[in-house]
Amino acid sequence: MQQDLITQARAWLAEDPDPETRAELAGLIDAEDLGSLADRFAGTLQFGTAGLRGEIGAGPMRMNRSVVIRAAAGLAAYLKAHGQDGGLVVIGYDARYKSADFARDTAAVMTGAGLRAAVLPRPLPTPVLAYAVRHLGAVAGVEVTASHNPPRDNGYKVYLGDGSQIVPPADAEIAAAIAAVGPLDGVPRPESGWEVLGEEVLAAYLARTDAAMGAGSPRTARTVYTAMHGVGTSVLTAAFARAGFPDPVLVAEQAEPDPAFPTVAFPNPEEPGAMDLAFATARRAEPDIVIANDPDADRCAVAVPDPSAEGGWRMLRGDEVGALLAAHLVDRGVTGVLAESIVSSSLLGRIAEKAGLGHEETLTGFKWIARVDGLRYGYEEALGYCVDPEGVRDKDGITAALLIAELASVLKEKGRTLLGLLDDLALEHGLHATDQLSVRVEDLTVIANAMRRLRETPPTALAGLPVTSAEDLSLGTDALPPTDGLRYHLTGARVIVRPSGTEPKLKCYLEVVVPVSGRDGLPEARAQGAELLAAVKRDLSAAVGI
């Protein structure tokens, strides 16, 4: 066993093209650090509907140049097998460790395989890549990013020619093609032959952002903005200038790309403490709203002044922003379908119904939302919003920021606020209060055991509310393909439990709906909603057992 592991590691070392991971692996072999070696060689980083994502390091269970070269070779083989030989693959990347190296390796592999490759000119937001796939008529796109994961992670996201992320069965077919790749010295990787795009593709993306805005709408909202040490600053400020908004006040400590993410524990606006510097800047600048992107700028977080909140600022939940943007688009008279993931608030369906618009629920992820027929607007509660599906068939934190700033401006001209509009929606449709129970684990078997426990002993009531129906989503439904998840409907509430597709987390999504008896009844309804959510969370935590 020990010798097999050392032999396996030495074989990997012989192929590894990266001096840094070679040195790491050689050190582990010399030290006979069997625990670390076993961790790196316990299997292979699996390619799925989120592509690849994992910690940077040596070995097949880490993100590294060897793994990326194999992934690129498998993707190239898949494309050629589907008649795309000679087609264009466009490649984007963020500012994380190794992202530029992984992008260059992908371009070399595509070129060596007989495809054409074009690399974006510099680290840019993921939505620019998603836009470029369709804009350039590419047969596929690759974005090197780990989004809002910890600093030592990186990832590999694949789009096909329609500009949407891959879904089954393409993911399994690409994974099979990756598994079939032989020794790395058999993968041609020329030193040149691909194109490095100029700024014109970014200019085209920025010109397309006009489509997110209403003609002649007010552009007066003042904004504090943080890129969370990611790649959003230059693109968002250019988009705001083009639209005619006041220049955002930048959170200086987080404005420039930095793969170490030095000011945050996790570079995710939803994580505790991540917005502290933005709120400190807001208290000095006194803007109308605070906007944050995650590091690859496909998500958008919004905060608003709230005297009742600690520090005077409150982060809006993704469901609240999702409803606000939907209400704004409805007010502008849009037509088409409003779509959301199953873990997002049911309020969107009520807004769509009242407006006479279509409404669809999909599995979690924009790979599903973007494929809804007739889509005009889609969102999911994890701060993802697609406000211009004809331009970007994915979540886009830049155009979402433009649209929320436009809405804040429209309300400001009327002496109103985003919180006031949320009150109006609660009066019209009932108070929809949402929360999440999220558990990060070191050992993934903890999540599997929790899901098994719920399947074997499902709850019959939560917070005193009887469970009226329970669905095992792994079996699929009339409207949804199978996915690992459980959905419970209660009287006036809904709960969904699922493993995260991108992080070692078990996620539980909670929603309660409370009737509101007039504007004076809003405080009581909010208190009742908060109390119910807390009780549901407590009882669910006991049922899950972690």
Side-chain angles (χ1 to χ4, degrees):
M1 178 72 174
Q2 174 179 338
Q3 193 54 48
D4 287 349
L5 188 57
I6 295 291
T7 300
Q8 191 179 0
R10 283 180 175 151
W12 185 276
L13 178 64
E15 286 195 328
D16 192 339
D18 189 328
E20 289 185 32
T21 47
R22 282 178 59 83
E24 173 195 336
L25 188 53
L28 295 175
I29 293 170
D30 290 344
E32 295 187 353
D33 186 343
L34 299 182
S36 295
L37 288 173
D39 187 41
R40 286 160 173 77
F41 288 86
T44 302
L45 205 59
Q46 291 302 299
F47 187 94
T49 50
L52 294 168
R53 196 174 291 188
E55 183 179 346
I56 295 170
M61 287 295 291
R62 297 288 189 269
M63 281 295 296
N64 51 64
R65 290 183 60 198
S66 296
V67 165
V68 165
I69 290 166
R70 289 183 181 280
L75 175 59
Y78 167 86
L79 292 171
K80 293 171 71 173
H82 285 75
Q84 305 291 357
D85 202 357
L88 174 67
V89 178
V90 60
I91 303 152
Y93 59 103
D94 65 11
R96 284 178 175 266
Y97 296 118
K98 300 288 184 182
S99 285
D101 294 337
F102 295 166
R104 186 185 186 280
D105 282 331
T106 301
V109 171
M110 295 300 164
T111 302
L115 292 144
R116 294 178 295 124
V119 183
L120 294 185
R122 52 191 168 88
L124 287 168
T126 292
V128 177
L129 181 278
Y131 168 80
V133 171
R134 299 182 72 209
H135 175 67
L136 298 173
V139 299
V142 171
E143 176 69 17
V144 180
T145 182
S147 189
H148 56 275
N149 274 39
R152 288 302 304 171
D153 286 4
N154 213 327
Y156 200 81
K157 185 182 294 188
V158 175
Y159 298 76
L160 293 182
D162 62 355
S164 300
Q165 296 177 51
I166 55 169
V167 295
D171 57 341
E173 293 178 23
I174 295 170
I178 294 170
V181 174
L184 287 193
D185 60 11
V187 178
R189 285 181 288 136
E191 292 294 320
S192 62
W194 58 87
E195 179 183 4
V196 177
L197 297 166
E199 294 293 317
E200 65 279 355
V201 68
L202 177 60
Y205 167 82
L206 287 169
R208 177 69 204 186
T209 62
D210 294 349
M213 311 293 289
S217 61
R219 315 281 168 91
T220 56
R222 294 175 300 108
T223 303
V224 159
Y225 171 71
T226 176
M228 207 66 67
H229 297 296
V231 297
T233 296
S234 64
V235 179
L236 182 131
T237 53
F240 269 55
R242 179 184 179 87
F245 287 105
D247 291 341
V249 176
L250 302 181
V251 179
E253 302 93 330
Q254 299 174 336
E256 295 303 317
D258 187 337
F261 303 106
T263 69
V264 291
F266 290 95
N268 179 354
E270 294 179 294
E271 293 284 348
M275 294 292 288
D276 287 356
L277 286 171
F279 292 157
T281 304
R283 285 190 285 273
R284 294 192 300 270
E286 298 184 343
D288 298 300
I289 53 174
V290 171
I291 289 175
N293 287 139
D294 67 337
D296 69 327
D298 63 351
R299 288 173 169 83
C300 178
V302 181
V304 295
D306 184 350
S308 67
E310 183 180 351
W313 283 85
R314 175 166 84 84
M315 268 276 286
L316 297 181
R317 291 192 170 276
D319 284 319
E320 292 176 312
V321 177
L324 287 169
L325 292 177
H328 180 45
L329 290 170
V330 165
D331 191 56
R332 275 181 23 191
V334 302
T335 59
V337 177
L338 309 186
E340 62 183 322
S341 62
I342 57 172
V343 299
S344 303
S345 173
S346 59
L347 177 55
L348 185 70
R350 299 196 180 193
I351 292 171
E353 183 181 13
K354 179 72 180 292
L357 299 177
H359 172 250
E360 294 285 343
E361 284 188 325
T362 75
L363 295 185
T364 306
F366 272 83
K367 57 185 176 283
W368 300 108
I369 294 171
R371 286 179 160 76
V372 168
D373 287 341
L375 179 67
R376 177 56 186 85
Y377 166 69
Y379 98 93
E380 63 180 4
E381 54 74 44
L383 310 182
Y385 314 95
C386 175
V387 303
D388 175 27
E390 289 304 307
V392 175
R393 290 190 181 178
D394 198 3
K395 54 186 177 292
D396 183 345
I398 304 298
T399 50
L402 286 170
L403 197 62
I404 200 72
E406 179 185 62
L407 173 56
S409 300
V410 169
L411 294 170
K412 183 179 181 179
E413 298 293 296
K414 299 175 181 177
R416 305 188 62 223
T417 65
L418 294 175
L419 289 180
L421 180 53
L422 285 173
D423 286 346
D424 291 349
L425 292 172
L427 288 168
E428 188 172 3
H429 304 290
L431 177 73
H432 290 63
T434 59
D435 200 357
Q436 189 179 129
L437 173 62
S438 182
V439 184
R440 185 181 292 271
V441 301
E442 294 293 328
D443 181 359
L444 290 177
T445 61
V446 173
I447 293 177
N449 290 338
M451 295 297 290
R452 185 175 64 251
R453 174 174 172 163
L454 285 174
R455 286 187 168 104
E456 292 174 352
T457 314
T460 57
L462 296 169
L465 304 174
V467 175
T468 57
S469 68
E471 295 170 277
D472 186 342
L473 299 176
S474 68
L475 305 175
T477 72
D478 291 343
L480 300 170
T483 187
D484 189 7
L486 299 163
R487 178 163 58 182
Y488 305 104
H489 291 283
L490 303 92
T491 304
R494 184 209 66 197
V495 171
I496 294 176
V497 183
R498 60 178 283 271
S500 170
T502 57
E503 298 177 272
K505 284 183 176 181
L506 181 70
K507 291 189 169 184
C508 309
Y509 305 85
L510 324 175
E511 179 177 44
V512 300
V513 182
V514 181
V516 182
S517 57
R519 196 166 293 275
D520 291 344
L522 274 169
E524 181 183 348
R526 293 196 189 284
Q528 184 182 348
E531 184 179 329
L532 267 175
L533 282 174
V536 171
K537 183 184 288 191
R538 180 194 64 230
D539 290 357
L540 182 64
S541 181
V544 169
I546 58 176

